[in-house]
Amino acid sequence: MKVLQSLSLADFKSYKGHHILLFGDSYFTSIIGPNGSGKSNSMDAISFVLGIKSSHLRSSHLRDLVYRGRVLKTSVINEDGSATTNGVNGRANGDSGEVEAQPASQERNDPKSAWVMAVYEDDAGDEQLWKRTITNQGASEYRISNRVVTAQQYNEALEAENILIKARNFLVFQGDVEAIAAQSPKDLTRLIEQISGSLEYKADYEKLKEAQEEALENQNYNLNRRRGINSEIKQYQEQKKEAENYARKVDRRDQAIVTHILWKLYQFQSLIEESGETIKKHQEELKEHRRGIAKYEDHLEEAKREQAKVGREVGKSERSIKAKEKEIDDKEGSLLPLTEKILLTNESQDKVNSRIAGIAKERDSRSETVKRLTKDLKTIEKAETQWETEWRKLGEQEGRALNEADLSQYNKLKEEVNKQTSADQMRADNLLRQHRADQETVNSLKSRVDGIGSRISDFETDVENVRESRTTTTQQADQIQKEIDTKKKAYTALTSERLRVRQLRTELEEKFQEVGNRLVEAEDGRKQSDRELKMRATITDLKRLFPGVKGRVHELCKPKQKRYEEAVSTVLGRHIDAVVVDDEKTAKDCIQFLREQHRGLATFIPLDTIQGTMVDSNLKGMHKGTRMAIDTIDYDRSVDRAMTYACGNSIVCDDLKTAKYICYEKGIEAKAVTLDGTVIHKGGLMTGGRGKEHTSRRWDDTEIDNLRKLAEKLLNDLRSLPDGRRNATEEETLQNELSGLEQKLAYCKEESQALKRNLESKNKELAHAKRELSETRPKHQERQRELQALETNLKSFQDSISEVEDQVFAEFCQRLEYENIRAYEAQQGTLQQEGAQKRLEFKQQKSRLENRKSFEQQQLVEVEGRIAGLRKKIQRDQSLLDQLSSQKEAIANESDELASELEILKESLENQQSIYEKRAERVAEQRREVQKRSKSIDGTLREIGRLEAEMQRSSTDRYTLLRRCKVDDIAIPLAVDSNSLDQLPLDGILHGDPDAMDTSEDLADGNGTTHAMHDYGIEVDFEELDEDLKENSDQEVDKDLQDKITALEEELKQMAPNMRAIERLEGVESRLKTTEKEYEDARRRAKTAKDDFQDVKERRFALFSKAFSHISDQIGPIYRELTKSTKLPMGGQASLDMEDSDEPYLDGIKYHAMPPLKRFRDMEHLSGGEKTMAALALLFAIHSYQPSPFFVLDEVDAALDNANVAKIANYISEHAGPGMQFIVISLKTSLFQGSEALVGIHRDQSANTSKALTLDLRKYR
């Protein structure tokens, strides 16, 4: 039969030594006993030996299960027999903290391990011994029939007997009944899963379900991919047809462009050749005149070369200065991290030095303690040696022995004395025994009083030390908190600055991006000519070389409204690109510079000599649709004379009708310009305006320039922002320091709280010791008085006996030279005892001092190690500090050297600029000499200049077309011996505006102007150009050719095909094949995953359904049996309902119980007893599914009244039998009185242990 016969415990919790709880062959055994006796520890013992975790055994660690014997007088006995201290710390083993716990354990010889062994008889009648051992270090050992096994093997052996550890189908702890009554449907589902074993499939179920969903999602993904690719193939097939049609139109458009370009190149070539012939004739005429001024020109050229040379040196010096300044900035920037590291290293050294100083004090203190203990130990050893010598001498002097005759006489005389004093001897012996007992009591009380006094002194010292330590710790915590506050402020400041810089950087980057987008939009569709770019560079150079240059007119003014742009452009006319300068001298210097550098032509307006027409105030406000041109522009007042000169008395009219009214009907002699650019001149001549695209371009250029300046400013602002990486090191260091300080603060606070609790515990122990002293001292005094009275009475009897002894032994003592017989007896009996006692005292003193000395030496070595470690850290920090200082000094020296070099460069630049100014004066002087002698050829030169300008424009236009062909990859026909377009440079020369007034004196030499007609060896083949187009130079031809190109481009724009459709079509078809294969693989994987998941799902469902069906069938009869009575023989009703019948383990299971004669209510609305009965019914039903051979119940009747307890007792009695053993822990008489056997647990206070007694009640029935 399956039955748990007995339980053996050794040093388990409150059971000291070996104890046996005998259950025998009883099927209903009750474990009873008073509170605090340790009966619940028997439940823990059964749980422990059957492998239950420590969290269910009312212990945080398994090592706490080992018996601990020492119990403070301030401790109380718990219900389980364990001791709990009344102090704050709640320690049961030791007076003070963890430091004294181990020595205390050694003094009382606590056991090092505990074990529990269960004796179990199986169906075959064989005994199985299940034993589990635990050490005070927390290590476990498992044995089955004295054979060591692993924990897994141990669990498997239990499961073979249907004892399921995970499901705990054999145990009901205190509180389990209430927990089951209050559990949710989900918790009940999990409980049934544990019992059924379906919980083991939960992990596989979830894993395979996730794999199935993932595989299905992958299958759908590949299916959608395949559909999408098929759609792409259809789309690309249509796009392929569009692309082929588009390519044919592109070929036609390209041919039209080539024809147009060839026609324009042919016209430019013809114009260049005609102008070149005319220039050659004029140059022949100038040769004679040039010979007369050759000398002065040579001087001028020499002066120019010297000036250019000095100018190059100035530019080189300026670049060198900028490079040096950048290098100095880089050096200064690299100093910041080094300075921060040096500062942090110094702070670290100061902290380490402070720690070394504190630890050094501790080392000195411990060193002094070791020296003092060594000295005390030597003193004790010296005293012991001296006493041994004296004791031996005393033994030699007093150690006399009797011979056989004297000894025989002594015995006879002793018998005589006994006869004479037998009555007094008996009374004296009785009093002596009582005296010894009372003396032991008095000594015990005295020792207790002294011990309590010593403890009070120790407690007072400990309280003072703890109070001082807590004060020191609190001060440290306050200091650390101050440091944390300071560091947090610094860290917050750094973080705020970083965030501010980041926000500012973000704002600047957003503005920069916005400006960049506006620039892209403004330049979209515009393509500046090479001439315009060159002119911009020329104006920039003029501004750099001549401070008096203001800029071009269209750069210095801007129309107040967008609608005025066309009109203002027309009004300014040829002055729109004129350059405004401060004075005439600056204008002449600029003209000379343009001529020397071959920078083309430009018109200059000197502010000091320009004579403009005064604005007629009568023209203002004469009509609501008119306004003065000068009033439609915004400009700086410093260039007012130039703007007045350029605008004159021109009037801007809203429309042509208003302009005609002003000029024709009113007869106002002023130039009237409409908003669309139509002009009515003073003489009445009317001309049309230029295209809006051409006129607005000037103001767009100005706007673009402003945007570029703004972008450059924003970029400089971005560059000037502090580099976040420089402060990153300091911020990271502060963060690390804050983290360290916060950890130190937390440690200090924790230590302060621990010291506070320790102080409270010490104060309570001190108060308890004082109360104990006040109670013990009167008892000691009373016992002392009683002892003194007893000694007086004893002395009277001893004196009577001594008189008889003196009479009987008078001759004997006189012969042996003893004062009396008592002196002889005392000498022989006490001499050895005194010697042994003295040696023991010396040994104890030496042992105590040696232990203390060993402990202090160990602490001293540890302190020395800490100091050595800190000193090594100081050495490493010092090495790092020296390295950083060297680097900082080297960088500072390099910065000083660079600063010195910068000063030298600046001085050199000043000297070079002074020399450059002198060279410029000399060039101007030589130029004036040449100009004096060149007035006679001005007319011819102006004509040559005009022709050269014409040739230059044509050459530039020709170059522009050729460059366009190269950039746009336009294949024009070239002659056989021509260079290819690849040799054409992309940085050609720009020339002045052909509409500007010619005020320069471009001196031509007798060798022609080949520089303006450089064709780069490129010769165009015009054979493909029709003869009709060659002979016709009319602009209508240009317009027709351009219209044809535009029409084709419009058609192309409307088509917008995908030119990569053919290439992508092939790629998509290849992808389709791959996707088809991936889809098939995904479909197979999805089917496999689904099959695997269904298999696990069916297993889990089968196990769960089997358990649920059994429990559901049993719950009703069991609850009815538990709740029925003679008055209510039908009992109550109970049932289980699934919330999800398909997969019940995923949802909850509701438990319904309806007590007799009561309507249906939810479980939470039942009374405490009704809940308990319902919960017990559920427990018994669950246990019946896979019943274990025994069922242990721990005070499950605590919340039940006597009637319900009787029902539980009846149920257990009826079902107890072979295969179902009940072991019940209870305090209710009505439950355990029906047991077959009782196991009584009681507390033996003298032995400080729980003990057990077994009573078989079947013998008394």
Side-chain angles (χ1 to χ4, degrees):
M1 59 180 178
K2 296 183 177 181
V3 65
L4 183 64
Q5 293 184 343
S6 64
L7 194 71
S8 297
L9 300 86
D11 298 319
F12 184 81
K13 295 195 80 169
S14 62
Y15 293 88
K16 178 182 179 182
H18 182 232
H19 300 270
I20 298 177
L21 276 66
L22 184 63
F23 306 130
D25 57 353
S26 170
Y27 294 110
F28 183 9
T29 303
S30 294
I31 301 176
I32 62 176
N35 287 333
S37 61
K39 61 181 181 297
S40 292
N41 287 343
S42 62
M43 180 72 169
D44 290 340
I46 296 174
S47 304
F48 171 73
V49 75
L50 295 178
I52 299 299
K53 295 182 179 179
S54 63
S55 58
H56 299 292
L57 304 181
R58 300 174 298 163
S59 298
S60 58
H61 303 286
L62 285 175
R63 61 173 177 270
D64 296 336
L65 302 177
V66 181
Y67 172 82
R68 294 181 291 181
R70 183 180 180 186
V71 180
L72 292 176
K73 295 183 181 299
T74 58
S75 302
V76 297
I77 304 302
N78 298 326
E79 293 183 359
D80 60 355
S82 62
T84 303
T85 302
N86 287 332
V88 176
N89 292 340
R91 298 182 177 91
N93 297 332
D95 297 333
S96 54
E98 300 176 354
V99 177
E100 296 183 11
Q102 184 65 21
S105 177
Q106 293 175 355
E107 290 175 4
R108 63 177 182 269
N109 296 321
D110 280 352
K112 305 298 183 183
S113 63
W115 57 266
V116 179
M117 182 175 68
V119 180
Y120 173 75
E121 181 179 347
D122 56 17
D123 285 334
D126 298 331
E127 285 189 350
Q128 296 185 21
L129 305 181
W130 299 331
K131 183 178 180 181
R132 184 181 179 186
T133 306
I134 183 68
T135 67
N136 57 4
Q137 302 298 322
S140 289
E141 181 187 70
Y142 299 90
R143 290 177 178 266
I144 299 178
S145 298
N146 294 325
R147 178 173 55 87
V148 178
V149 296
T150 63
Q152 182 178 358
Q153 293 172 338
Y154 195 80
N155 292 341
E156 291 174 353
L158 294 176
E159 290 176 0
E161 298 297 331
N162 215 21
I163 300 173
L164 308 179
I165 297 175
K166 294 182 181 179
R168 289 195 297 161
N169 65 337
F170 57 92
L171 294 174
V172 179
F173 286 103
Q174 290 184 15
D176 282 0
V177 176
E178 291 80 359
I180 290 175
Q183 68 183 352
S184 65
K186 285 280 190 180
D187 296 333
L188 182 56
T189 302
R190 181 174 179 84
L191 179 61
I192 294 178
E193 276 212 280
Q194 289 178 338
I195 296 298
S196 66
S198 64
L199 189 63
E200 297 179 0
Y201 290 98
K202 182 179 180 181
D204 294 339
Y205 175 89
E206 293 175 350
K207 179 180 178 182
L208 292 174
K209 184 177 182 180
E210 182 179 355
Q212 178 193 6
E213 293 174 352
E214 182 179 354
L216 184 59
E217 182 181 356
N218 189 26
Q219 177 186 354
N220 293 333
Y221 168 74
N222 283 286
L223 178 60
N224 293 330
R225 280 184 60 199
R226 186 179 67 173
R227 292 173 179 172
I229 291 174
N230 285 327
S231 176
E232 282 185 54
I233 290 176
K234 294 180 181 179
Q235 181 181 355
Y236 284 134
Q237 286 174 347
E238 295 176 358
Q239 291 178 356
K240 177 182 177 183
K241 296 178 181 178
E242 294 179 0
E244 292 173 349
N245 187 22
Y246 181 83
R248 288 192 294 270
K249 287 189 179 292
V250 167
D251 293 338
R252 290 174 56 195
R253 193 257 338 250
D254 292 343
Q255 185 59 41
I257 291 174
V258 170
T259 302
H260 184 219
I261 291 174
L262 287 176
W263 180 81
K264 293 182 74 174
L265 288 174
Y266 183 80
Q267 301 302 325
F268 293 148
Q269 185 70 28
S270 301
L271 184 59
I272 289 172
E273 292 175 355
E274 292 174 1
S275 299
E277 293 297 330
T278 306
I279 288 173
K280 287 181 180 180
K281 294 179 182 179
H282 290 301
Q283 286 176 345
E284 292 295 332
E285 297 174 359
L286 290 174
K287 285 183 180 179
E288 295 299 327
H289 299 287
R290 291 290 298 170
R291 294 190 183 94
I293 60 174
K295 175 183 177 182
Y296 297 98
E297 287 180 347
D298 293 340
H299 293 323
L300 178 60
E301 290 299 325
E302 182 180 358
K304 287 179 182 179
R305 285 193 296 273
E306 292 177 355
Q307 182 188 16
K309 181 179 179 182
V310 175
R312 287 192 296 273
E313 293 177 355
V314 169
K316 183 178 180 182
S317 297
E318 290 176 348
R319 290 191 295 273
S320 300
I321 289 173
K322 289 182 179 179
K324 288 293 180 185
E325 290 175 346
K326 184 177 182 302
E327 194 172 352
I328 291 174
D329 291 340
D330 293 341
K331 292 293 183 183
E332 292 177 351
S334 62
L335 281 176
L336 291 176
L338 291 176
T339 305
E340 293 174 359
K341 289 182 180 178
I342 290 173
L343 180 60
L344 294 175
T345 306
N346 286 328
E347 292 179 356
S348 175
Q349 280 192 331
D350 294 339
K351 292 179 181 177
V352 173
N353 286 326
S354 176
R355 289 182 62 189
I356 289 177
I359 298 174
K361 292 181 181 179
E362 181 182 356
R363 178 196 61 190
D364 297 339
S365 174
R366 293 194 181 278
S367 179
E368 290 296 329
T369 303
V370 171
K371 291 179 181 178
R372 178 173 56 78
L373 292 174
T374 304
K375 182 177 179 182
D376 293 344
L377 188 60
K378 290 181 180 179
T379 302
I380 295 296
E381 292 174 348
K382 183 177 180 182
E384 182 181 12
T385 303
Q386 184 178 357
W387 176 83
E388 288 285 352
T389 304
E390 293 176 356
W391 187 81
R392 283 195 298 271
K393 290 180 181 179
L394 180 63
E396 293 173 357
Q397 294 175 0
E398 299 182 356
R400 292 172 291 177
L402 298 178
N403 55 30
E404 294 182 1
D406 292 338
L407 185 59
S408 176
Q409 184 182 3
Y410 168 78
N411 292 330
K412 291 179 179 180
L413 293 174
K414 194 68 174 176
E415 291 177 359
E416 182 65 25
V417 171
N418 291 335
K419 292 178 181 179
Q420 295 181 15
T421 61
S422 59
D424 292 339
Q425 190 82 33
M426 291 178 64
R427 297 180 64 183
D429 290 341
N430 292 333
L431 290 175
L432 184 60
R433 283 194 296 272
Q434 184 178 356
H435 177 271
R436 289 173 180 169
D438 291 348
Q439 183 65 47
E440 289 180 0
T441 302
V442 169
N443 291 338
S444 175
L445 290 172
K446 184 176 184 304
S447 175
R448 188 173 178 184
V449 169
D450 294 341
I452 294 172
S454 176
R455 284 166 54 199
I456 290 174
S457 177
D458 293 340
F459 285 153
E460 290 175 346
T461 304
D462 292 343
V463 166
E464 185 63 28
N465 292 336
V466 172
R467 186 176 289 112
E468 291 178 358
S469 299
R470 186 164 181 260
T471 303
T472 303
T473 304
T474 305
Q475 292 175 354
Q476 290 179 354
D478 294 339
Q479 182 64 29
I480 292 173
Q481 185 63 51
K482 292 180 181 179
E483 292 183 15
I484 288 176
D485 295 338
T486 304
K487 299 286 186 184
K488 279 186 176 179
K489 289 180 181 178
Y491 181 74
T492 303
L494 282 176
T495 305
S496 301
E497 177 64 18
R498 177 172 55 80
L499 293 177
R500 186 190 67 81
V501 172
R502 181 186 295 174
Q503 183 178 1
L504 183 57
R505 184 183 298 277
T506 302
E507 292 175 357
L508 290 175
E509 287 176 348
E510 289 177 355
K511 291 180 180 179
F512 184 76
Q513 182 67 28
E514 181 182 356
V515 171
N517 292 336
R518 289 170 60 188
L519 270 173
V520 172
E521 292 175 0
E523 293 181 342
D524 188 22
R526 297 177 63 256
K527 187 175 181 182
Q528 292 182 334
S529 67
D530 190 40
R531 174 172 165 271
E532 178 64 21
L533 292 174
K534 193 66 177 179
M535 180 55 71
R536 284 179 180 274
T538 300
I539 297 301
T540 302
D541 292 341
L542 291 175
K543 288 181 179 180
R544 179 175 58 82
L545 297 174
F546 306 103
V549 177
K550 302 291 186 181
R552 290 184 287 183
V553 171
H554 75 269
E555 296 172 347
L556 299 175
C557 68
K558 185 176 181 180
K560 293 181 177 180
Q561 297 181 21
K562 189 76 172 176
R563 64 194 186 111
Y564 295 147
E565 289 182 354
E566 184 73 21
V568 171
S569 299
T570 304
V571 168
L572 294 178
R574 60 193 179 90
H575 300 302
I576 194 168
D577 283 328
V579 182
V580 180
V581 297
D582 284 343
D583 49 37
E584 184 179 3
K585 180 179 181 301
T586 303
K588 292 181 178 179
D589 291 340
C590 292
I591 292 170
Q592 185 64 28
F593 174 79
L594 293 176
R595 185 166 58 248
E596 293 170 356
Q597 300 296 326
H598 303 291
R599 293 292 185 93
L601 304 175
T603 300
F604 294 89
I605 302 177
L607 294 175
D608 62 339
T609 59
I610 195 70
Q611 298 295 327
T613 305
M614 296 299 295
V615 178
D616 188 356
S617 59
N618 294 326
L619 299 178
K620 295 182 179 181
M622 67 171 53
H623 191 276
K624 64 178 181 180
T626 64
R627 62 209 51 80
M628 299 299 294
I630 193 69
D631 295 332
T632 61
I633 59 175
D634 289 325
Y635 57 90
D636 189 87
R637 292 304 165 187
S638 62
V639 295
D640 183 68
R641 288 171 61 94
M643 297 304 161
T644 302
Y645 168 77
C647 295
N649 283 325
S650 299
I651 301 173
V652 176
C653 302
D654 289 346
D655 49 32
L656 184 58
K657 182 179 179 182
T658 303
K660 290 180 178 180
Y661 172 78
I662 294 296
C663 295
Y664 298 153
E665 296 182 14
K666 284 285 188 179
I668 303 299
E669 293 185 357
K671 183 167 69 172
V673 182
T674 63
L675 295 180
D676 61 357
T678 302
V679 183
I680 300 179
H681 298 275
K682 292 181 181 180
L685 179 65
M686 186 189 313
T687 59
R690 289 172 292 180
K692 189 173 184 179
E693 179 181 358
H694 175 74
T695 56
S696 62
R697 176 179 172 185
R698 301 294 184 182
W699 316 119
D700 291 341
D701 291 344
T702 303
E703 182 180 359
I704 290 172
D705 289 340
N706 294 333
L707 288 175
R708 284 176 178 157
K709 291 178 182 178
L710 179 58
E712 185 176 357
K713 179 179 179 301
L714 291 174
L715 187 59
N716 291 332
D717 291 343
L718 278 171
R719 290 172 178 170
S720 63
L721 288 177
D723 189 358
R725 293 173 295 179
R726 295 187 178 180
N727 294 331
T729 303
E730 184 176 356
E731 188 173 346
E732 183 179 358
T733 302
L734 281 176
Q735 189 174 7
N736 294 335
E737 290 179 355
L738 273 174
S739 178
L741 289 173
E742 288 174 352
Q743 291 178 0
K744 289 174 64 178
L745 180 62
Y747 172 76
C748 288
K749 288 183 177 178
E750 183 180 352
E751 186 177 2
S752 178
Q753 290 297 325
L755 290 172
K756 180 181 177 182
R757 293 193 296 269
N758 196 6
L759 182 61
E760 293 175 354
S761 175
K762 295 291 184 185
N763 285 329
K764 289 184 179 180
E765 292 175 352
L766 178 61
H768 176 74
K770 289 181 178 179
R771 287 196 303 270
E772 191 176 1
L773 180 62
S774 63
E775 294 173 358
T776 307
R777 183 172 288 163
K779 293 180 181 179
H780 173 256
Q781 294 173 354
E782 179 66 24
R783 288 285 187 175
Q784 185 70 33
R785 289 191 294 271
E786 292 177 359
L787 182 63
Q788 290 175 357
L790 182 62
E791 287 176 348
T792 303
N793 192 12
L794 177 63
K795 190 173 183 305
S796 64
F797 287 104
Q798 289 178 342
D799 291 342
S800 171
I801 295 172
S802 298
E803 290 178 0
V804 175
E805 287 179 341
D806 291 342
Q807 294 175 1
V808 174
F809 284 98
E811 181 182 356
F812 181 81
C813 292
Q814 185 177 2
R815 182 170 57 81
L816 295 178
E817 298 180 353
Y818 283 105
E819 182 180 354
N820 51 51
I821 194 62
R822 291 179 298 282
Y824 165 75
E825 291 174 348
Q827 173 187 340
Q828 295 300 323
T830 60
L831 189 61
Q832 295 298 328
Q833 183 178 0
E834 291 176 355
Q837 181 67 25
K838 198 68 176 177
R839 289 189 184 92
L840 179 61
E841 292 176 358
F842 279 118
K843 183 177 180 181
Q844 289 177 346
Q845 291 180 356
K846 288 168 62 180
S847 176
R848 180 176 58 82
L849 290 174
E850 288 173 351
N851 291 336
R852 180 74 184 278
K853 178 182 176 182
S854 176
F855 172 75
E856 293 293 339
Q857 286 176 339
Q858 291 177 358
Q859 295 297 317
L860 182 60
V861 171
E862 181 183 351
V863 170
E864 291 287 353
R866 289 161 57 194
I867 291 177
L870 292 174
R871 284 176 177 168
K872 289 181 180 179
K873 187 177 186 304
I874 288 180
Q875 292 176 357
R876 292 194 300 271
D877 290 345
Q878 187 62 42
S879 176
L880 176 61
L881 191 61
D882 295 340
Q883 182 180 357
L884 294 175
S885 299
S886 301
Q887 293 178 2
K888 182 178 179 182
E889 184 178 358
I891 293 174
N893 293 334
E894 292 177 0
S895 298
D896 293 339
E897 293 177 0
L898 292 173
S900 301
E901 294 175 0
L902 180 62
E903 291 297 327
I904 294 172
L905 288 174
K906 287 183 177 179
E907 293 176 1
S908 175
L909 178 61
E910 292 177 359
N911 295 332
Q912 291 173 353
Q913 288 176 342
S914 176
I915 295 172
Y916 183 78
E917 292 175 357
K918 294 179 180 179
R919 295 291 187 272
E921 283 294 330
R922 186 181 173 206
V923 169
E925 182 179 354
Q926 294 296 329
R927 186 179 290 112
R928 286 193 291 271
E929 290 294 332
V930 172
Q931 288 175 353
K932 290 179 183 179
R933 293 162 176 79
S934 301
K935 290 181 180 179
S936 60
I937 59 174
D938 285 345
T940 305
L941 289 176
R942 280 194 293 271
E943 181 63 20
I944 291 175
R946 186 186 67 79
L947 294 173
E948 284 184 341
E950 191 71 27
M951 290 180 65
Q952 188 70 29
R953 281 197 301 272
S954 299
S955 178
T956 301
D957 292 340
R958 178 179 183 273
Y959 165 78
T960 302
L961 280 175
L962 293 175
R963 190 179 68 166
R964 176 190 169 191
C965 294
K966 177 180 179 180
V967 172
D968 296 342
D969 198 18
I970 299 174
I972 61 174
L974 300 176
V976 178
D977 55 349
S978 170
N979 292 335
S980 66
L981 290 177
D982 294 336
Q983 298 182 8
L984 181 72
L986 296 179
D987 54 350
I989 301 174
L990 281 174
H991 302 281
D993 189 346
D995 295 332
M997 183 178 64
D998 183 10
T999 59
S1000 112
E1001 300 178 5
D1002 189 11
L1003 299 178
D1005 56 18
N1007 297 326
T1009 55
T1010 57
H1011 63 279
M1013 296 179 293
H1014 196 344
D1015 58 4
Y1016 303 101
I1018 297 174
E1019 184 178 352
V1020 181
D1021 185 3
F1022 297 106
E1023 291 295 331
E1024 296 181 5
L1025 187 63
D1026 295 339
E1027 293 297 329
D1028 295 340
L1029 293 177
K1030 291 181 181 179
E1031 296 175 358
N1032 192 350
S1033 61
D1034 192 357
Q1035 292 299 320
E1036 291 296 329
V1037 176
D1038 182 40
K1039 185 175 182 301
D1040 294 339
L1041 293 174
Q1042 187 63 45
D1043 290 343
K1044 182 178 179 181
I1045 295 172
T1046 304
L1048 289 171
E1049 287 181 343
E1050 288 297 328
E1051 293 179 5
L1052 291 173
K1053 286 180 181 179
Q1054 293 176 1
M1055 295 179 68
N1058 182 5
M1059 301 306 296
R1060 299 183 62 185
I1062 300 174
E1063 176 185 350
R1064 292 183 178 178
L1065 178 61
E1066 297 175 355
V1068 171
E1069 289 175 346
S1070 175
R1071 281 169 48 207
L1072 178 61
K1073 296 178 182 179
T1074 305
T1075 305
E1076 288 282 358
K1077 185 175 181 297
E1078 292 177 353
Y1079 170 72
E1080 290 299 326
D1081 294 340
R1083 188 172 61 82
R1084 285 193 296 272
R1085 286 196 298 269
K1087 185 178 183 304
T1088 302
K1090 181 180 179 181
D1091 294 341
D1092 294 342
F1093 172 70
Q1094 287 297 330
D1095 181 53
V1096 172
K1097 177 182 175 183
E1098 290 172 359
R1099 293 182 188 177
R1100 187 179 183 187
F1101 179 79
L1103 289 174
F1104 187 89
S1105 298
K1106 180 181 178 183
F1108 176 81
S1109 298
H1110 176 86
I1111 296 170
S1112 180
D1113 293 341
Q1114 294 295 323
I1115 188 68
I1118 292 175
Y1119 183 73
R1120 186 164 49 252
E1121 187 176 355
L1122 284 175
T1123 56
K1124 72 180 181 179
S1125 63
T1126 55
K1127 294 181 180 180
L1128 302 170
M1130 298 303 295
Q1133 298 179 7
S1135 63
L1136 295 175
D1137 292 332
M1138 293 182 181
E1139 294 182 355
D1140 185 355
S1141 59
D1142 294 332
E1143 292 187 272
Y1145 38 78
L1146 297 181
D1147 216 326
I1149 292 178
K1150 292 185 178 180
Y1151 178 31
H1152 305 291
M1154 187 168 64
L1157 298 181
K1158 291 191 178 182
R1159 60 184 177 84
F1160 173 78
R1161 287 182 294 179
D1162 292 334
M1163 185 67 70
E1164 59 267 18
H1165 296 151
L1166 298 178
S1167 65
E1170 292 170 345
K1171 287 182 180 179
T1172 302
M1173 295 298 287
L1176 285 173
L1178 179 60
L1179 283 172
F1180 290 143
I1182 291 174
H1183 182 264
S1184 68
Y1185 175 62
Q1186 288 182 339
S1188 63
F1190 49 83
F1191 202 25
V1192 186
L1193 306 175
D1194 187 5
E1195 296 190 21
V1196 297
D1197 56 352
L1200 298 177
D1201 55 15
N1202 291 332
N1204 286 328
V1205 171
K1207 293 176 182 178
I1208 296 298
N1210 292 333
Y1211 179 86
I1212 294 175
S1213 298
E1214 292 176 2
H1215 290 79
M1220 179 55 67
Q1221 179 186 15
F1222 285 92
I1223 300 174
V1224 181
I1225 299 174
S1226 176
L1227 293 175
K1228 299 291 183 70
T1229 306
S1230 55
L1231 179 60
F1232 64 72
Q1233 68 183 2
S1235 305
E1236 297 179 359
L1238 292 178
V1239 176
I1241 307 297
H1242 66 96
R1243 183 76 179 175
D1244 187 350
Q1245 295 293 349
S1246 61
N1248 195 19
T1249 182
S1250 298
K1251 292 187 176 181
L1253 299 173
T1254 302
L1255 179 64
D1256 190 352
L1257 299 180
R1258 292 174 294 183
K1259 299 177 181 180
Y1260 306 101
R1261 294 177 180 171

